Amino acid sequence: MSLTDVESYIMDSPDSALVVLESMDCNDFKSKRDKAHYSLLYVMALDKNFIDVKDDSLARVAVDYFSRRGPKKYEAQALYYLGLSYYYSRQYDKAIIEFTKAESVAQDSDSLYWGMTKVKQADTYAKNHNNIEKLNCLQKACEIYETLDVKYYQDVTLLYLAETLFNLDREEEAEELLIKLIEDENVNK
């Protein structure tokens, strides 16, 4: 099984991807690109299996390679996971820097990760009690997901946005979002 094969199903079957990646020996990869690709896929699989990776070494290998050689899509993803490693280790200042870099690259290369980055930026701003930036990030993520037509990501982000609005004493706006979600769900049944 190749890394490209794993990449093809990692989003839909991250548990299977993790099993396959753990069965591979990273030392068998001869090229720096393959080692970086493996590192990126491995940290991605861990995250998709809800395993918080606080060590930045995997993402750092991917960032170091893909930021110099591309493609931009992989660079954006690697920066996102580097930001996550800092987020999980509570280094929020470093996390926001990496998420900002990831956002900059993802805008032109990977819209799904652009949206995901905006959500994690929101989480990071929330840790610093910056609710205005949190709100701005969530609104942007909703816009991105709407253009991509990725309903799951959009709905989860809308719920998070409604919660944020409620916590900012903007109950009417929060209620409107929740009603919209319920109406959309009823239409899709």
Side-chain angles (χ1 to χ4, degrees):
M1 173 116 2
S2 73
L3 293 174
T4 305
D5 292 335
V6 174
E7 184 177 4
S8 71
Y9 63 83
I10 195 167
M11 296 298 267
D12 296 324
S13 300
D15 51 340
S16 298
L18 184 59
V19 168
V20 170
L21 289 166
E22 287 181 335
S23 72
M24 294 179 174
D25 185 354
C26 187
N27 295 321
D28 290 343
F29 299 117
K30 302 299 180 214
S31 74
K32 290 181 180 180
R33 185 191 191 291
D34 285 346
K35 288 179 182 181
H37 195 196
Y38 172 84
S39 296
L40 176 59
L41 292 174
Y42 190 63
V43 73
M44 186 185 297
L46 290 169
D47 179 61
K48 301 290 180 209
N49 281 284
F50 306 103
I51 300 168
D52 297 346
V53 180
K54 296 177 183 178
D55 179 4
D56 69 348
S57 61
L58 284 171
R60 175 71 54 206
V61 169
V63 167
D64 289 346
Y65 180 85
F66 294 120
S67 65
R68 287 183 278 121
R69 303 249 168 87
K72 292 290 185 189
K73 174 183 175 177
Y74 291 166
E75 179 185 0
Q77 293 172 0
L79 287 164
Y80 171 82
Y81 289 109
L82 182 58
L84 270 186
S85 70
Y86 292 136
Y87 177 86
Y88 291 136
S89 62
R90 298 181 180 180
Q91 299 177 61
Y92 302 122
D93 54 337
K94 289 182 176 182
I96 204 67
I97 290 168
E98 299 307 325
F99 290 141
T100 302
K101 290 178 190 176
E103 174 187 16
S104 176
V105 176
Q107 285 178 359
D108 299 323
S109 62
D110 191 331
S111 293
L112 179 62
Y113 271 84
W114 183 19
M116 291 167 56
T117 298
K118 294 307 291 181
V119 171
K120 288 317 287 185
Q121 282 177 321
D123 287 344
T124 307
Y125 283 125
K127 297 294 184 184
N128 293 310
H129 309 288
N130 187 340
N131 290 318
I132 299 304
E133 284 302 318
K134 175 184 176 184
L135 184 63
N136 291 336
C137 288
L138 290 173
Q139 289 170 330
K140 184 62 181 179
C142 287
E143 290 173 22
I144 294 165
Y145 291 147
E146 187 171 0
T147 64
L148 293 174
D149 195 30
V150 286
K151 185 147 178 50
Y152 170 78
Y153 288 92
Q154 185 178 4
D155 287 353
V156 169
T157 305
L158 283 170
L159 283 171
Y160 190 20
L161 179 57
E163 175 193 40
T164 302
L165 288 167
F166 182 79
N167 290 337
L168 292 171
D169 295 323
R170 293 167 61 176
E171 289 92 358
E172 287 180 25
E173 291 173 81
E175 186 176 329
E176 287 174 22
L177 279 178
L178 294 173
I179 289 169
K180 179 184 179 309
L181 277 167
I182 292 168
E183 288 173 351
D184 288 350
E185 189 60 35
N186 287 334
V187 167
N188 291 327
K189 283 187 175 180

